[in-house]
Amino acid sequence: MNTKVDEVIERSVIANRLDTITKEMGYALEKSSRSPIFAEACDFACGICNGKGELVSQINGIPILAAAGTFSVQEVIKKYHGHIQEGDVFILNDPYLGGNHLPDIGIITPLIEDGEVLFYCVSRAHHGDIGGSVAGSYNAKATEIYQEGLRIPPVKLLSRGRMIDEVLDLILQNVRNPQMLRNDLWSQIGANDIGVARLKELLHNYSPTRIKETIDYLLDHTENLTRLAIKQIPDGDYIGEEWVDDDGFQENPIKIQVMVKIRDEEMTLDFSGTDLEVKGFVNSAFVTSTTAAWIGALWALGSSIPRNSGAFRAIKVRLPKGSLVNPDDPAPVTLSTLTPASEIISAIFQALDTVVCERLPAGFGRYCGPSFYGLDPRNQEFYVGFAFCALGSGGGIESRDGYPYMAPLSNYGGVRAPNIETNEIQYPHITLCHEMEADTAGSGMWRGGPGIRYSLKFYGEPTHIVMFGDGMKIPPFGSFNGKPGSLNRAELQMGEGQTILLSSKESPRLLPSGTILNVISSGGGGWGDPYQRDPEMVWQDVRDGFISWVKARQDYGVVLTKEGVDHEQTVILRGLSKQRV
Amino acid sequence: MFEIAVDIGGTFADFVVKDEQGNTVTVKIASNKKDPKETMTRGLNELAQKFDLTLKGFISQTDKFIHGTTVGINALLQGQGAKTALITTAGFRDALELRRSQLSEQWNFGVNLPPVLVPRYLRIGLRERMDYKGMPIKPIDKSQIQEIADFLLGQEIESVAVCLLFACRNPAHEQEFKELLQPLLPNVFISLSSELSSQLGEYERTSTTVLNARLSPLLSNYLLDLSIQLQDLGLRAPISIAQNNGGLTDVFQAKRRAVHTLFSGPAGGVKGGWALATKLGIPELVVADMGGTSFDVSLIRLGKMEVTPRAEVAGYPVQVPMLDIHTVGAGGGSVAWLDDGGMLRVGPRSAGAKPGPACYGLGGVEPTITDAALVMGFIDAQDFLGGRMTLDIKQAYRVIEAKIAQPLGLSVPEAAYAIYKVALSLMIDAVYLMTIKKGYDPRLFSLAAVGGALPMFAAALAEGMGIRHVVIPELAPVFCAQGLHHAPFQVEVLRSIHERLAEEPDPNWKQVMIELKEQADSEMSRLGINENLSSYIWSADLKYPDQHHEITVELPSGLADLSVWKQSGQAFHEKHQKLYGYCQPEKSLILVNLRLIVRETERINWEKKEPSTFLRQTNYEMCSVYLQGEFQKVKSYSWQNLRTGMNIKGPALIKKEFTSIVLENSCSANIDDYGNLLIDIGKDSFE
């Protein structure tokens, strides 16, 4: 038999199998984990790296975790190379040593054959609390990473198959929900074990050399695909900018600037024009910034490129030391996976949207909402929850409107927001409203998705909330003359008509009983001139309550009657030729 | 007297009739997508002719009529449905559109989501509220009812879906609303979420209810017309409809529960697999079906069919129990292609039936699995679809050469072989995920291969999984319709509990169980099934207190036995270990749901073949087939000449109407007492 045929076949077969194995790991993780953020919201990623720590396969999940595994594994290799034994399992969360932010814990399980590490199975997952001075570990007033929670450098959690209780105890002693964390660490370990067992079966069928060759081919192949896609973009320097509201201490916005340099099949994302690191937790350390840059670039390059280390090889990222996107240890970074990760991506979109306009949307809403914690009066247990239902909405894109409730970019399509019913069983609150809000969507030929009004009344006592997020000052941008989306907004209703506006980065706040919290999330940015929108679609939007009559007239130049579009008046108002109608 | 089972699918319609002597007659015809009734009449006419009867004469002698229908799913896929409004709790009318923020295609912003089935202006918030325990905290605002009725009338609404928060805990408000609204809108169909699903989660329940509301009126019209037509022809038996769970119901129930019939046809296939497994004494069976566009897998485990509590259909969640069928886009028409970097891929895109594979000569210009099989000699170009079609092998060569072989530097047969192997690996992975992720070892299963395209792959698929035995049923091409003959009447009822599981049952649960049993019994008696002809299966959905996903455990014995709860707890921990790699027996459990399935006592209606004259030999021709990297001359048999007791050694080809079976070197095959082909995979290998 022609070995060429074998090669062709084995490449496809092994690639498919690796993806099947990561799928299975993800399935096990989702179904067996406990913290809501993890099991309900699916805030995790798992994947397989080769012996060099290159990411070979990963399930779809949270985009900002797409490359996290490879950094974690590389830190383990750096520290333990030559001392890794069968049955060892490693743990880490330090953003300055292969992690992204402290709540995300990476568990890494090597697969050893004949003394050589052939694979690492890696799972990274967001846990409800990792200690630090604020429950839920989003500490908007932290000025050092030490205040954000427990730092775990790469260490062994299991040695030759046995749990090292000293390490586990040390970790559990430092968090607010030790039982839940213990269970969830077990479910990560279990998922990795499943990956390891399946890879062993693969090794049973193909020799390690064959598999290594195939994986090298897959990575090279992906690199080629990426370079081909880069080549499609004309050479040039493309500059994009995005801004973060503030750092929670001073009011000035913080600039992220990227220069995308395209030279033939080389792409460099240079962030030299970005502001210096700041006091608050909106800094983004190396791992998160690099991942954000990679996925932003890959979105621009097309969806058919596998998201593995081969693709990452072709995209160079320059992050100046001491800047917002590569701060020095111990700058705080917890917000980074939401903001500025999404803003790094947004800057890249704005740099490239003129060259690959059909692939890139207008601005997305940023995350902004509270964590809440307290004693649940129903069972006297301590709880920590997050306002996952306060998500904002997506921007419009050429050929369709933005989707509601799909923001922020860093989580696009990967986080599964809980049902209201599940939330009310889990936490002592009642939801008063969870609906789209009129006149929040950025107007455009293709408008943004409308933002969400989310209202809660807590009955736990005492209840604390901690506001964290961004986008209360800087809205989702509009593209090609589309209008920006609305700002994030949050307020407390204290009864007697007393209303307190909340800001995006707050210290824990005690809520008096009966307080109502309203969060109104951003609508997405619009794409294209709103005057180009089909008047019938504007009428439908009014009928559906997405926009008001006033907005239809002001932004879209559409005149409506009770029966529908007044085409004649619309033509006059739009001042356009008849063919538009 | 005749018993008729009909499966009207998207591409083909299959009819299987049994007469009093135990003879089976089958008909397979092309399906008229636009008019399933026309398809039905045409098929019944063909059947009548086979019995030398007039249509009337045939139908009037029929005392059982079982129907698997795709009316619901076809309408859904084609975007048809009744004009539907949605009633939700006020303040929560957007769950349907917000989709819990999930997307299947994250890396492509240009991809369109499936359309929202009820536009926002037809979604109405009702002022009422239940809390998380199902306690009403705000009664229905009755002043809203007339207003809603007027609006719906003005909008010419045909159907109303109602999904209120926590109706899964307490359906009172949904029921009250229906009682108030129905008299004002007597001709409008009203579907309540609490009648369909008792599971928590308003997004999935709303989606389920909306699908049901949209599709039921369509199904209802079809079934009504069909009933009248068949009654006019003299049918005295009621029409039984197959449901997603493999059980039958009547027209009265089906027309209000379209969402329960979405997988009516494929469920017949699983049921057929179950009957096969039971009859042949194979407790663990993978049932795999491959047609033109997809590869479907389901499992028979410990002699039982596997059920899943929820699934996704065309991008919409459906939260009703259904037989667990895993589908991947690999069928005879799946296209082979090279990606931008030159890697060979197969599917999920299909050339369909038109233009179809290049070898159909209908204008297809892309190589498909069927083209590869033709080049490899697995299919006879002169004798495709039972001789109804001639294939153009030159065209198959040409497209494989241009699109695959040349770019990769392979010969055409090598390229065809590579396509075949990559397609095979997709199937292996599908079966693999289906078995292994549930904690089962695929090597302990046998494989039943049905559908037009699968028998070509069956032996290789089994070998790839480490499976030793393959069954190709005699009625493989009409397997789903055949399976419907084994479907019993079935009723399933469920109650959400959400309480801690102690060793002794909570006294309230006893009452719940009594109510569930009464509810199920009254349904069964309406279906005409006597209590002593029914079997009762209780099961519980359990989880650890802080866990989010439950595991279903069958309750081992009668309810009187107090150790039932303890046993079910143990069963839970064991299952958890198997599925997720760990368990925590020291922890207490939450009883999420209690479920009762009542099923008509099953009878498998499958007779042994009359032993024919004892033949050891049969004729064969020699033909050229590409195996093990080269063309080999192998024996080619015709299935209809095979008899019980014959043993065929690989390498060989067995041709059957609509399909062919490829036996490699190490395999051997024989016909069993029921007329099935059993293949023994000689090798003890895994992939």
Side-chain angles (χ1 to χ4, degrees):
Chain A
M1 156 99 43
N2 183 343
T3 52
K4 182 99 207 270
V5 189
D6 280 343
E7 219 177 78
V8 166
I9 295 166
E10 281 173 17
R11 278 171 191 167
S12 301
V13 170
I14 292 174
N16 288 340
R17 177 57 55 85
L18 291 171
D19 289 345
T20 305
I21 295 172
T22 46
K23 250 185 233 166
E24 201 193 332
M25 289 172 65
Y27 175 84
L29 207 48
E30 178 194 339
K31 300 287 163 152
S32 69
S33 58
R34 308 299 166 75
S35 62
I37 196 167
F38 188 156
E40 266 291 303
C42 293
D43 193 346
F44 64 78
C46 41
I48 299 170
C49 291
N50 65 8
K52 289 180 265 183
E54 293 172 300
L55 185 69
V56 178
S57 170
Q58 166 149 336
I59 46 159
N60 282 344
I62 310 286
I64 195 60
L65 294 181
T70 170
F71 294 105
S72 305
V73 171
Q74 278 166 13
E75 287 299 328
V76 168
I77 295 175
K78 224 186 267 173
K79 183 166 169 187
Y80 287 96
H81 180 68
H83 307 283
I84 298 176
Q85 313 235 343
E86 175 101 39
D88 289 352
V89 175
F90 301 88
I91 183 169
L92 68 83
N93 78 338
D94 194 320
Y96 292 100
L97 283 171
N100 36 11
H101 64 170
L102 294 178
D104 284 9
I105 296 181
I107 295 286
I108 295 118
T109 309
L111 186 163
I112 301 176
E113 190 134 313
D114 295 332
E116 188 192 351
V117 182
L118 295 181
F119 291 106
Y120 294 90
C121 289
V122 52
S123 53
R124 297 200 53 88
H126 192 138
H127 298 267
D129 182 88
I130 189 67
S133 43
V134 171
S137 304
Y138 279 95
N139 179 0
K141 294 299 165 186
T143 56
E144 289 178 313
I145 191 169
Y146 304 109
Q147 296 148 13
E148 301 192 288
L150 178 69
R151 293 175 78 169
I152 311 170
V155 290
K156 257 186 220 179
L157 182 62
L158 275 78
S159 178
R160 300 187 182 209
R162 287 186 66 118
M163 177 62 83
I164 306 173
D165 291 326
E166 289 85 345
V167 173
L168 185 64
D169 290 349
L170 184 63
I171 294 169
L172 298 181
Q173 191 71 12
N174 280 285
V175 302
R176 292 180 178 80
N177 235 331
Q179 274 311 320
M180 194 177 268
L181 182 61
R182 178 198 294 271
N183 294 336
D184 284 347
L185 289 178
W186 272 116
S187 80
Q188 281 185 264
I189 295 166
N192 284 6
D193 283 351
I194 285 172
V196 167
R198 301 300 174 257
L199 286 168
K200 282 189 174 160
E201 285 168 19
L202 191 68
L203 284 163
H204 182 76
N205 301 322
Y206 302 95
S207 73
T209 327
R210 201 84 182 107
I211 293 177
K212 270 195 265 181
E213 279 170 14
T214 305
I215 286 173
D216 286 344
Y217 166 81
L218 290 174
L219 295 176
D220 292 347
H221 165 77
T222 306
E223 184 180 343
N224 288 339
L225 283 181
T226 315
R227 293 192 185 281
L228 280 172
I230 295 171
K231 227 180 153 139
Q232 307 293 313
I233 301 176
D235 280 5
D237 295 342
Y238 303 91
I239 294 179
E241 268 176 20
E242 186 56 274
W243 298 77
V244 175
D245 280 1
D246 56 58
D247 73 345
F249 290 95
Q250 44 79 32
E251 293 296 319
N252 296 331
I254 310 149
K255 179 167 80 172
I256 295 169
Q257 190 190 69
V258 62
M259 182 192 278
V260 183
K261 290 184 191 164
I262 307 284
R263 300 288 184 275
D264 192 36
E265 48 172 52
E266 293 287 328
M267 178 188 243
T268 308
L269 305 167
D270 186 344
F271 289 85
S272 298
T274 300
D275 283 350
L276 294 180
E277 68 176 69
V278 293
K279 194 173 174 187
F281 73 159
V282 298
N283 297 297
S284 170
F286 181 80
V287 172
T288 298
S289 297
T290 310
T291 309
W294 279 341
I295 60 176
L298 284 170
W299 257 314
L301 292 174
S303 58
S304 62
I305 301 170
R307 269 57 183 166
N308 65 34
S309 286
F312 307 151
R313 281 183 203 156
I315 303 166
K316 295 210 166 50
V317 181
R318 287 213 187 110
L319 305 165
K321 276 298 269 175
S323 73
L324 185 82
V325 293
N326 192 7
D328 289 320
D329 185 352
V333 298
T334 301
L335 195 61
S336 63
T337 52
L338 298 162
T339 287
S342 301
E343 287 61 51
I344 292 171
I345 299 166
S346 180
I348 296 168
F349 285 5
Q350 291 179 76
L352 292 175
D353 68 358
T354 48
V355 275
V356 285
C357 67
E358 74 286 357
R359 288 194 203 128
L360 298 179
F364 271 53
R366 303 179 186 195
Y367 181 79
C368 195
S371 57
F372 35 85
Y373 61 91
L375 213 55
D376 189 331
R378 300 171 300 180
N379 55 18
Q380 298 306 312
E381 281 176 20
F382 177 78
Y383 70 91
V384 186
F386 296 89
F388 273 112
C389 298
L391 301 178
S393 296
I397 184 169
E398 182 174 20
S399 83
R400 69 158 174 82
D401 293 339
Y403 289 130
Y405 209 45
M406 294 294 170
L409 273 172
S410 57
N411 290 351
Y412 185 64
V415 162
R416 183 172 61 196
N419 277 303
I420 297 298
E421 289 178 345
T422 326
N423 256 349
E424 291 192 2
I425 285 183
Q426 248 145 21
Y427 306 114
H429 67 230
I430 182 147
T431 319
L432 306 174
C433 179
H434 191 244
E435 270 191 6
M436 287 183 267
E437 179 83 349
D439 289 345
T440 50
S443 304
M445 178 176 170
W446 303 103
R447 60 163 172 76
I452 309 299
R453 171 179 287 269
Y454 181 38
S455 300
L456 295 176
K457 194 171 180 177
F458 293 92
Y459 56 84
E461 212 158 344
T463 303
H464 283 86
I465 62 163
V466 188
M467 281 298 294
F468 64 89
D470 203 70
M472 285 191 163
K473 297 173 186 166
I474 297 170
F477 67 88
S479 278
F480 297 96
N481 298 321
K483 305 240 172 168
S486 64
L487 291 171
N488 280 320
R489 205 146 53 87
E491 63 191 23
L492 294 178
Q493 266 172 265
M494 317 290 277
E496 309 288 319
Q498 193 197 347
T499 300
I500 299 173
L501 271 184
L502 303 178
S503 61
S504 62
K505 300 166 189 75
E506 294 194 340
S507 303
R509 189 191 270 273
L510 178 66
L511 296 190
S513 168
T515 307
I516 294 172
L517 167 74
N518 297 317
V519 182
I520 298 106
S521 66
S522 280
W527 193 102
D529 182 357
Y531 269 46
Q532 308 265 343
R533 187 170 178 83
D534 180 349
E536 288 301 331
M537 290 176 72
V538 175
W539 158 242
Q540 283 169 21
D541 283 346
V542 170
R543 185 193 62 185
D544 282 336
F546 292 140
I547 61 177
S548 62
W549 285 61
V550 177
K551 192 113 176 168
R553 200 182 172 96
Q554 274 176 359
D555 279 13
Y556 292 94
V558 172
V559 182
L560 301 172
T561 68
K562 277 201 163 155
E563 281 72 48
V565 180
D566 183 334
H567 288 283
E568 224 165 88
Q569 290 297 315
T570 298
V571 171
I572 294 167
L573 185 61
R574 284 186 164 186
L576 299 170
S577 60
K578 280 180 191 162
Q579 67 197 33
R580 276 265 153 76
V581 184
Chain B
M1 286 301 175
F2 301 110
E3 296 188 355
I4 305 180
V6 186
D7 171 31
I8 300 192
T11 325
F12 289 106
D14 301 337
F15 297 73
V16 175
V17 177
K18 296 184 186 241
D19 69 11
E20 273 165 328
Q21 286 77 45
N23 298 316
T24 301
V25 173
T26 70
V27 161
K28 190 180 187 76
I29 57 171
S31 189
N32 177 349
K33 260 192 180 165
K34 293 206 178 90
D35 189 355
K37 259 186 4 193
E38 185 276 329
T39 311
M40 177 71 86
T41 319
R42 193 154 36 92
L44 293 176
N45 261 316
E46 272 201 37
L47 280 174
Q49 280 166 25
K50 290 203 171 189
F51 287 99
D52 279 332
L53 290 169
T54 62
L55 184 54
K56 246 187 167 149
F58 174 59
I59 294 296
S60 60
Q61 290 182 54
T62 296
D63 60 0
K64 193 159 187 187
F65 195 100
I66 306 167
H67 187 12
T69 171
T70 41
V71 165
I73 192 137
N74 283 344
L76 178 63
L77 295 176
Q78 289 161 24
Q80 296 160 354
K83 189 170 182 189
T84 302
L86 170 64
I87 310 292
T88 71
T89 301
F92 301 90
R93 62 179 165 147
D94 291 332
L96 192 66
E97 189 160 354
L98 301 183
R99 298 171 204 266
R100 297 185 64 191
S101 191
Q102 277 216 306
L103 292 168
S104 52
E105 244 303 2
Q106 301 173 262
W107 298 117
N108 186 351
F109 289 110
V111 161
N112 287 318
L113 288 170
V116 181
L117 293 175
V118 182
R120 196 171 195 241
Y121 76 103
L122 297 178
R123 308 199 292 255
I124 302 163
L126 177 68
R127 290 188 289 274
E128 64 80 42
R129 188 69 147 89
M130 293 277 176
D131 75 0
Y132 71 100
K133 287 180 292 198
M135 299 294 286
I137 48 179
K138 192 199 279 178
I140 291 181
D141 178 353
K142 295 204 176 71
S143 71
Q144 235 187 316
I145 304 291
Q146 187 63 49
E147 194 187 308
I148 291 174
D150 292 344
F151 175 75
L152 299 182
L153 215 55
Q155 294 293 336
E156 296 175 340
I157 291 296
E158 298 163 289
S159 193
V160 178
V162 185
C163 185
L164 304 179
L165 286 180
F166 293 110
C168 52
R169 289 291 168 82
N170 180 355
H173 281 182
E174 284 191 355
Q175 288 163 353
E176 185 187 350
F177 176 75
K178 186 176 177 177
E179 280 159 23
L180 293 166
L181 187 70
Q182 190 78 79
L184 303 175
L185 302 170
N187 299 321
V188 167
F189 174 65
I190 301 177
S191 183
L192 303 184
S193 83
S194 50
E195 290 174 350
L196 296 167
S197 169
S198 308
Q199 310 255 6
L200 205 62
E202 72 275 7
Y203 168 56
E204 292 79 5
R205 262 198 350 270
T206 306
S207 168
T208 308
T209 314
V210 164
L211 287 180
N212 194 57
R214 259 176 79 84
L215 302 175
S216 290
L218 263 64
L219 183 63
S220 172
N221 287 342
Y222 165 69
L223 290 177
L224 223 61
D225 286 358
L226 184 67
S227 305
I228 291 169
Q229 183 191 7
L230 291 175
Q231 276 159 21
D232 284 351
L233 290 169
L235 182 71
R236 278 162 306 174
I239 301 174
S240 305
I241 305 295
Q243 307 180 89
N244 305 331
N245 60 11
L248 301 177
T249 192
D250 60 358
V251 169
F252 172 81
Q253 186 72 343
K255 67 183 192 188
R256 300 183 298 149
R257 297 278 193 278
V259 82
H260 281 285
T261 67
L262 288 171
F263 296 100
S264 180
V270 186
K271 198 74 212 183
W274 168 84
L276 193 66
T278 311
K279 205 73 192 176
L280 300 183
I282 309 169
E284 322 274 283
L285 184 68
V286 173
V287 184
D289 182 341
M290 184 179 178
T293 54
S294 72
F295 173 76
D296 299 336
V297 198
S298 55
L299 299 182
I300 308 299
R301 230 321 260 168
L302 296 172
K304 288 180 189 151
M305 301 182 295
E306 299 252 315
V307 174
T308 175
R310 54 187 76 88
E312 209 178 89
V313 187
Y316 302 103
V318 177
Q319 195 157 267
V320 295
M322 47 182 83
L323 294 175
D324 196 359
I325 303 171
H326 181 65
T327 298
V328 288
S334 292
V335 172
W337 52 287
L338 299 180
D339 68 19
D340 295 343
M343 193 154 114
L344 176 62
R345 296 171 186 268
V346 176
R349 211 162 50 76
S350 169
K354 269 183 195 167
C359 61
Y360 281 16
L362 299 173
V365 290
E366 288 176 299
T368 63
I369 294 177
T370 304
D371 294 305
L374 182 63
V375 166
M376 293 169 74
F378 292 178
I379 308 174
D380 188 340
Q382 304 308 316
D383 191 28
F384 190 63
L385 290 181
R388 289 177 209 193
M389 195 166 175
T390 306
L391 299 179
D392 182 350
I393 192 163
K394 283 200 190 113
Q395 193 57 27
Y397 257 88
R398 224 170 286 147
V399 291
I400 293 177
E401 162 118 70
K403 299 269 164 103
I404 310 290
Q406 246 176 20
L408 290 178
L410 302 176
S411 72
V412 173
E414 281 173 345
Y417 180 65
I419 294 169
Y420 171 80
K421 285 294 251 189
V422 171
L424 185 64
S425 86
L426 291 173
M427 296 178 217
I428 290 173
D429 274 29
V431 178
Y432 190 84
L433 201 60
M434 187 83 178
T435 47
I436 293 235
K437 85 172 180 190
K438 295 182 171 181
Y440 308 151
D441 183 344
R443 287 168 293 191
L444 304 177
F445 284 74
S446 297
L447 172 70
V450 305
L454 196 58
M456 291 190 290
F457 287 91
L461 176 58
E463 205 185 314
M465 300 300 308
I467 288 175
R468 307 284 286 278
H469 303 285
V470 179
V471 190
I472 301 190
E474 187 190 15
L475 298 181
V478 291
F479 197 70
C480 291
Q482 186 273 142
L484 294 175
H485 276 289
H486 308 291
F489 280 99
Q490 183 168 320
V491 167
E492 178 164 345
V493 289
L494 174 144
R495 191 75 65 83
S496 259
I497 307 271
H498 277 275
E499 281 169 36
R500 205 167 280 263
L501 179 70
E503 285 190 10
E504 298 206 356
D506 185 304
N508 291 330
W509 302 352
K510 267 231 158 90
Q511 186 55 34
V512 170
M513 289 176 136
I514 291 167
E515 285 170 24
L516 284 174
K517 183 165 182 302
E518 279 173 4
Q519 191 187 340
D521 281 341
S522 81
E523 273 286 284
M524 285 303 272
S525 86
R526 193 178 47 78
L527 294 169
I529 310 299
N530 197 315
E531 202 170 324
N532 53 26
L533 286 176
S534 304
S535 46
Y536 292 77
I537 304 133
W538 290 92
S539 60
D541 298 338
L542 300 171
K543 61 168 198 156
Y544 293 120
D546 50 0
Q547 197 171 12
H548 297 255
H549 301 270
E550 59 273 0
I551 294 177
T552 304
V553 173
E554 200 167 298
L555 299 185
S557 57
L559 299 170
D561 182 357
L562 291 181
S563 74
V564 159
W565 301 106
K566 202 172 171 185
Q567 288 180 52
S568 66
Q570 277 162 1
F572 171 87
H573 296 301
E574 280 163 25
K575 222 166 165 179
H576 197 277
Q577 173 75 41
K578 235 179 169 178
L579 289 171
Y580 308 130
Y582 77 103
C583 71
Q584 296 168 301
E586 71 283 2
K587 296 203 108 182
S588 61
L589 299 176
I590 298 290
L591 173 61
V592 182
N593 300 306
L594 204 52
R595 180 185 301 102
L596 171 61
I597 294 171
V598 186
R599 190 181 286 156
E600 176 189 12
T601 309
E602 286 161 305
R603 58 187 176 112
I604 299 171
N605 169 352
W606 203 327
E607 302 302 324
K608 283 195 183 180
K609 292 255 164 189
E610 288 285 312
S612 57
T613 17
F614 194 69
L615 281 172
R616 276 271 174 221
Q617 298 288 321
T618 176
N619 297 337
Y620 56 81
E621 297 166 355
M622 293 305 284
C623 70
S624 182
V625 175
Y626 194 85
L627 290 173
Q628 310 290 329
E630 58 181 9
F631 276 106
Q632 299 178 12
K633 286 275 174 209
V634 305
K635 294 173 181 172
S636 162
Y637 299 89
S638 173
W639 177 302
Q640 62 202 22
N641 296 334
L642 301 181
R643 296 289 178 272
T644 310
M646 283 179 193
N647 195 5
I648 295 165
K649 292 235 178 299
L653 197 66
I654 299 169
K655 290 182 179 166
K656 181 169 168 58
E657 199 183 7
F658 302 111
T659 190
S660 50
I661 296 109
V662 180
L663 296 181
E664 294 214 29
N665 253 331
S666 51
C667 307
S668 61
N670 59 67
I671 297 281
D672 75 1
D673 294 343
Y674 300 97
N676 305 307
L677 185 78
L678 303 183
I679 305 174
D680 226 15
I681 312 296
K683 263 190 237 163
D684 180 20
S685 76
F686 188 67
E687 188 147 327

